[in-house]
Amino acid sequence: MKPKDIERISKALGDPHRLRIMQEVKKQEWLQCAQIIEMIDLAQPSVSHHIKQLIDAGLLIAEKEGRCIKYTIDKEVFSEYITFLNSLVEK
């Protein structure tokens, strides 16, 4: 994983709203923006902004379903990030 990717992911996960979005998506596996808005006490533009940050960091995958877009966690990217973090504490 490139240092720039690690930095982008770390910044994305540094926001409590984004962490909450990740938790909710993990519970459901796939969520639409409207569902996330219902779960989190934020306006639609704010939720969209946070989702975009998570997508740009590579943590969420967006998939178009009809007129809606649904989101899921990119487990491969997340796993690589966790591997990097674990490498910081291994001897």
Side-chain angles (χ1 to χ4, degrees), residues 7-39:
E7 178 185 354
R8 195 174 305 121
I9 291 170
S10 297
K11 284 182 179 180
L13 293 176
D15 183 282
H17 296 298
R18 292 183 201 135
L19 288 174
R20 176 84 192 281
I21 290 169
M22 293 293 289
Q23 289 172 329
E24 295 300 333
V25 172
K26 181 191 174 286
K27 288 179 195 174
Q28 304 292 323
E29 192 165 338
W30 286 95
L31 277 180
Q32 294 178 351
C33 187
Q35 293 171 297
I36 296 169
I37 292 167
E38 290 174 9
M39 296 173 181

Side-chain angles (χ1 to χ4, degrees), residues 3-5 17 25 32 34 36 38-39 47-48 56-57 59-61 64 66-67 70-73 78-80 87-88:
K4 194 69 173 167
D5 296 332
H17 296 298
V25 172
Q32 294 178 351
I36 296 169
E38 290 174 9
M39 296 173 181
V47 171
S48 293
D56 289 349
L59 294 169
L60 287 183
I61 298 170
K64 192 163 174 105
R67 292 179 44 197
K70 60 184 185 174
Y71 305 94
T72 193
I73 293 174
F78 210 82
S79 179
E80 288 178 27
S87 74
L88 296 177

Side-chain angles (χ1 to χ4, degrees), residues 3 7 11-12 16-17 38 40 46 55 58 65 68 74 81 83-84:
E7 178 185 354
K11 284 182 179 180
H17 296 298
E38 290 174 9
I40 298 174
S46 295
I55 290 170
E65 184 177 77
C68 300
D74 188 328
Y81 181 68
T83 299
F84 165 77

